[in-house]
Amino acid sequence: MALLPILEFPDPRLRTKAVPVDPARVTEPAFQTLLDDMFETMYEAPGIGLAASQVDVHQRFMVIDISEEKNDPRVFINPEILDRAGDQVYQEGCLSVPGIYADVTRSNEITVRFVDRQGQAQELRADGLLAVCIQHEMDHLDGKLFVDYLSPLKREMVRKKLAKQRRQAAA
Ligand code: QAP
Ligand code: CO
């Protein structure tokens, strides 16, 4: 097991559009180890979701665990949203934008098709926080960050705040 470095805004690599995973590769040891390393990295942060893009792997998958007890690990490979209903506003954060939180409006309920860590096709109806998290992580796979929903001025303030945080951490 290993902790993976997380890319941070405004790193241009976070803008990469991820390519689909070959489902035949999912059960290979190298891919399973990468999933374990992503869970370890997410739990250590601590976070509730981590997309492969955030650890500089530009393939379409993510790990999520929204449970309090951190005992409900979920893997979504090649996710696709089949259906959406309603809107919800949630105050989001992101391991790639540390210390920044902002309200984002997303679908309240989604139906998502994906491949699980056993390589099996699945369909899931999700709402509430899980639905938010899936949509947030799927945005990463398309090179999109939650701060992109903010105005350009607010996004610039976020960039400056992160630069200052990094300067102070280094000093
Ligand atoms: C995405 O985010 C998400 O700023 C996952 O200093 C967020 O795990 C989906 C984190 C909210 C739905 C709702 C953020 C940890 C973790 C920080 C995360 C930080 C330390 C964010
Ligand atoms: Co994120």
Side-chain angles (χ1 to χ4, degrees):
M1 299 269 273
L3 291 177
L4 306 171
I6 297 176
L7 302 180
E8 292 187 2
F9 176 75
D11 192 311
R13 292 172 290 180
L14 286 168
R15 299 310 187 175
T16 311
K17 187 168 165 62
V19 300
V21 176
D22 175 357
R25 301 226 93 111
V26 167
T27 54
E28 289 181 0
F31 191 82
Q32 293 287 318
T33 299
L34 180 55
L35 291 175
D36 289 339
D37 290 348
M38 283 176 59
F39 275 114
E40 189 182 1
T41 302
M42 178 184 80
Y43 286 134
E44 198 267 343
I48 60 170
L50 184 67
S53 314
Q54 294 177 272
V55 293
D56 208 16
V57 174
H58 301 288
Q59 299 178 33
R60 305 189 74 82
F61 66 98
M62 64 240 200
V63 301
I64 290 178
D65 188 341
I66 61 159
S67 71
E68 294 284 343
E69 304 79 15
K70 298 297 172 200
N71 59 0
D72 187 20
R74 297 171 183 266
V75 172
F76 295 86
I77 299 161
N78 299 340
E80 285 175 81
I81 294 180
L82 304 179
D83 185 53
R84 313 175 168 267
D87 282 345
Q88 62 175 323
V89 179
Y90 202 96
Q91 182 170 290
E92 298 187 12
C94 180
L95 290 171
S96 294
V97 195
I100 307 288
Y101 302 88
D103 282 355
V104 179
T105 303
R106 298 190 190 269
S107 299
N108 186 48
E109 247 187 288
I110 57 171
T111 303
V112 60
R113 179 193 289 157
F114 61 100
V115 169
D116 67 17
R117 80 176 291 170
Q118 281 77 43
Q120 302 295 309
Q122 301 282 350
E123 240 178 74
L124 175 75
R125 186 87 181 154
D127 63 7
L129 178 58
L130 180 58
V132 173
C133 201
I134 292 168
Q135 291 170 83
H136 175 115
E137 303 310 334
M138 284 182 70
D139 271 357
H140 278 297
L141 306 182
D142 290 324
K144 186 160 184 155
L145 302 173
F146 83 101
V147 293
D148 297 345
Y149 296 98
L150 305 177
S151 68
L153 177 66
K154 282 193 177 161
R155 196 160 48 253
E156 185 57 16
M157 287 167 57
V158 166
R159 192 186 62 71
K160 286 183 174 154
K161 188 173 171 188
L162 287 178
K164 184 174 179 183
Q165 281 174 195
R166 281 185 206 109
R167 272 201 312 279
Q168 288 179 340

